[in-house]
Amino acid sequence: MAAGNLELLLNLGHFVVCGEISPPQSADKAAVLKKCAYFKDTVDAVNFTDNQTAVVRMSSVMASVFALECGLEPIMQMTCRDRNRLAQQSDLLGAAAAGIKNVLCLTGDYMSFGNHPDAKGDFDLDSVQLIHAVSELNQGRFLSGDVLKSPMKLFIGGAANPFAEPFDLRIIRLGKKIAAGAQFIQTQPVFDVPRFEKWISAVRDEGYDQQVHILAGVMPVRSVRALIHLRDEVPGSLVPDEYILRMDAVKDDKEKSAEVGLALAVEIVDQLKRIPGIKGIHFMPVMWESITPRLVEQCGLLPRPKPVIASESSEEAV
Amino acid sequence: MSKLSEAIANICEKRQWLYKPILLMESGAKKLIFRCQDCGQCVLSQNAFTCCMRCPKQIRNGPCGGTRPNGRCEVYPNRACIWWLIHRRAKRLGVVHKLKKYHIPADRRLQYTSAWMNMFAGRILPLQLGKKPKEVTLTKKDPPPLR
Ligand code: SF4
Ligand code: SF4
């Protein structure tokens, strides 16, 4: 089986760039394709969120399939909130069959954050166990131990939050994810770079940066309101006051505010690029996908390496 | 565990009048002390005697990414994150290394069964009281006949 673009580039030592798309809250395929256009040729792969913040959206599996249609490499996100281990494994089989190469395993936001706070959560597995389940599938086994009829391969990702408490336990948990089979890690959006440096140096001390590809998250925001919302309402994120003050100074002018937001993101990326152990950047322009081409360009990350044609690398197929 | 404990479990699990009081006693005591959720596969001794099934997401390899800076849960801001508590207590007891262990997915068939009996029967890992985690091969997979 051929490896995906993301896996190949990471293994070749490129500094990769990922994007992120939340599928629409409707059955509108055109909306997905429109967002995909912003990411085409500006990033190497794009995350498709799975009912992010517990708000019902188009399924990440289907949105990822639409991305494949327009030649974009998807990273399908999968949470443990909405499916039990049966549905998860069956969706993974379907995704692999459709040609999806990457999966990001998450526990998922709790239902009370979304638009169906009255729903029953599943949480049959947790994210570490889900990573383990995908890695078992890659090795030809279901969680039950039954054997797959034919092999499949997915590049397995996990998430890490360098900013939430308890700090030491998070490093331990990252180690658990790696032991369970995670091959790349995407972090929460970084605003507080010194704190991130503290985390990554703890990760380097354990040698985890050698065992897994770590991609740092960066979220461009276009208004001070979004930034304050992040700080106050989104658990597990740290936003330095300096950024809030800078955004606050231009809050009345929409365009200026967007420019400052863009500049902040570029600044953060410049600092991140210099930190050893980071293998790429994961942009999360939530509700601001149109900024991606400019953002990636200003960060000096264009042009992206050409996608490796699948047929060339399929020689290694089993 | 041992032949003897398996025999005990075997006797108790086949008799409702024996099993029910044991279950009630165990679960009652653990509810009072640890707010047990009756998962039937106790990991208290591995998690510094703090029950991780109290987490709203019932994460057995925690914590999730949302723990607040003051150690509160992302779901209930007025409650402590269970995994923050586990970590704090593990530090006090000097058993943080035990938290490195990967916990396999919970066997949902064991919900509302007696973890003690499951332990005797060799369905789940034994108590991990020492500093060093014990490695044991489990002998039984099926849930107890009486539930
Ligand atoms: S781990 Fe399971 S059996 Fe043990 S106290 Fe918690 S819910 Fe009860
Ligand atoms: S913050 Fe802690 S207790 Fe709350 S859901 Fe996450 S892991 Fe569970």
Side-chain angles (χ1 to χ4, degrees):
Chain A
M1 282 155 290
N5 191 28
L6 181 70
E7 182 173 2
L8 285 172
L9 291 181
L10 279 170
N11 287 340
L12 288 175
H14 283 283
F15 194 81
V16 304
V17 179
C18 298
E20 181 160 306
I21 294 179
S22 353
Q25 283 177 268
S26 64
D28 184 5
K29 180 176 173 183
V32 180
L33 296 183
K34 186 175 156 222
K35 285 187 178 177
C36 285
Y38 297 128
F39 292 92
K40 185 109 184 29
D41 299 326
T42 56
V43 300
D44 303 315
V46 177
N47 284 43
F48 283 86
T49 59
D50 182 10
N51 296 334
Q52 198 180 18
T53 62
V55 173
V56 179
R57 292 170 182 278
M58 186 191 288
S59 109
S60 65
V61 188
M62 269 337 282
S64 302
V65 170
F66 297 152
L68 282 173
E69 280 174 18
C70 58
L72 197 61
E73 174 152 314
I75 301 173
M76 180 183 84
Q77 296 196 178
M78 179 174 273
T79 65
C80 300
R81 177 193 53 231
D82 310 324
R83 305 176 188 78
N84 65 5
R85 56 192 98 177
L86 273 84
Q88 277 171 335
Q89 292 180 95
S90 100
D91 276 357
L92 287 166
L93 294 182
I100 295 169
K101 302 284 185 198
N102 318 294
V103 58
L104 182 77
C105 306
L106 307 165
T107 304
D109 299 313
Y110 203 70
M111 293 74 69
S112 53
F113 290 99
N115 59 358
H116 291 71
D118 45 356
K120 177 177 188 297
D122 202 288
F123 299 112
D124 186 17
L125 306 182
D126 61 37
S127 55
V128 185
Q129 292 161 348
L130 179 57
I131 289 172
H132 176 70
V134 186
S135 136
E136 287 285 292
L137 286 176
N138 278 350
Q139 292 167 36
R141 286 187 300 267
F142 290 102
L143 263 188
S144 63
D146 292 353
V147 178
L148 259 75
K149 291 254 158 55
S150 64
M152 59 168 271
K153 190 131 186 58
L154 286 167
F155 192 46
I156 311 170
N161 189 346
F163 310 105
E165 292 299 318
F167 187 80
D168 315 348
L169 191 50
R170 303 222 163 248
I171 307 285
I172 293 180
R173 191 164 189 246
L174 177 63
K176 270 195 194 182
K177 286 191 175 176
I178 296 169
Q183 294 163 294
F184 69 98
I185 295 288
Q186 292 182 330
T187 75
Q188 289 291 107
V190 179
F191 291 100
D192 189 345
V193 180
R195 165 80 185 217
F196 184 78
E197 279 182 318
K198 183 178 159 212
W199 177 80
I200 195 89
S201 77
V203 169
R204 277 199 305 263
D205 289 346
E206 295 286 336
Y208 291 152
D209 62 322
Q210 302 298 324
Q211 300 164 25
V212 72
H213 304 288
I214 296 176
L215 314 180
V218 173
M219 183 185 282
V221 282
R222 59 176 151 185
S223 69
V224 69
R225 256 205 8 249
L227 213 52
I228 290 176
H229 173 82
L230 263 174
R231 183 189 63 182
D232 297 342
E233 313 285 332
V234 182
S237 46
L238 290 178
V239 182
D241 293 337
E242 185 212 327
Y243 292 163
I244 296 192
L245 289 179
R246 275 171 64 183
M247 290 291 283
D248 196 49
V250 288
K251 70 172 172 216
D252 301 323
D253 188 339
K254 249 191 164 173
E255 259 168 44
K256 252 198 199 149
S257 175
E259 287 304 317
V260 175
L262 183 64
L264 282 183
V266 174
E267 252 174 55
I268 294 172
V269 172
D270 277 343
Q271 295 176 46
L272 289 176
K273 272 200 282 192
R274 269 182 258 126
I275 300 177
I278 305 286
K279 303 287 169 57
I281 300 287
H282 170 215
F283 287 111
M284 301 179 226
V286 182
M287 313 305 285
W288 197 20
E289 284 85 358
S290 55
I291 194 64
T292 318
R294 262 187 76 199
L295 177 59
V296 181
E297 197 197 339
Q298 290 204 3
C299 294
L301 293 166
L302 280 184
R304 301 308 313 150
K306 278 259 165 314
V308 190
I309 316 293
S311 60
E312 277 178 19
S313 51
S314 62
E315 262 70 73
E316 46 162 339
V318 190
Chain B
M1 293 241 281
S2 67
K3 281 258 148 46
L4 178 68
S5 64
E6 270 178 43
I8 295 174
N10 213 4
I11 292 171
C12 299
E13 284 178 350
K14 290 214 173 99
R15 290 163 184 80
Q16 183 115 13
W17 58 270
L18 251 171
Y19 193 75
K20 281 281 139 93
I22 293 174
L23 177 60
L24 268 177
M25 207 170 64
E26 172 187 349
S27 146
K30 283 207 277 195
K31 274 220 175 66
L32 274 176
I33 309 172
F34 306 112
R35 280 202 263 143
C36 172
Q37 310 285 318
D38 290 317
C39 77
Q41 43 218 300
C42 204
V43 282
L44 276 176
S45 61
Q46 294 153 54
N47 286 345
F49 294 96
T50 309
C51 172
C52 62
M53 300 308 269
R54 279 159 55 193
C55 158
K57 301 181 190 169
Q58 305 205 327
I59 302 182
R60 285 172 86 88
N61 296 285
C64 78
T67 318
R68 293 164 194 265
N70 53 3
R72 296 298 165 100
C73 170
E74 70 160 21
V75 184
Y76 303 107
N78 53 351
R79 282 194 214 162
C81 163
I82 308 312
W83 278 96
W84 186 81
L85 287 178
I86 291 176
H87 181 245
R88 190 180 64 174
R89 196 168 297 172
K91 268 195 298 192
R92 286 190 188 152
L93 299 177
V95 290
V96 175
H97 60 277
K98 276 196 198 169
L99 303 183
K100 291 186 178 153
K101 185 181 154 33
Y102 167 70
H103 292 280
I104 56 169
D107 184 341
R108 307 288 170 187
R109 294 171 301 182
L110 298 183
Q111 180 86 44
Y112 306 121
T113 62
S114 159
W116 292 346
M117 286 301 132
N118 292 333
M119 188 172 80
F120 281 168
R123 255 178 228 114
I124 62 171
L125 287 181
L127 286 179
Q128 310 276 332
L129 293 177
K131 296 253 162 190
K132 250 202 176 149
K134 286 180 228 155
E135 276 311 320
V136 185
T137 40
L138 303 180
T139 47
K140 246 192 202 165
K141 278 218 131 153
D142 304 324
L146 278 179
R147 266 173 288 161

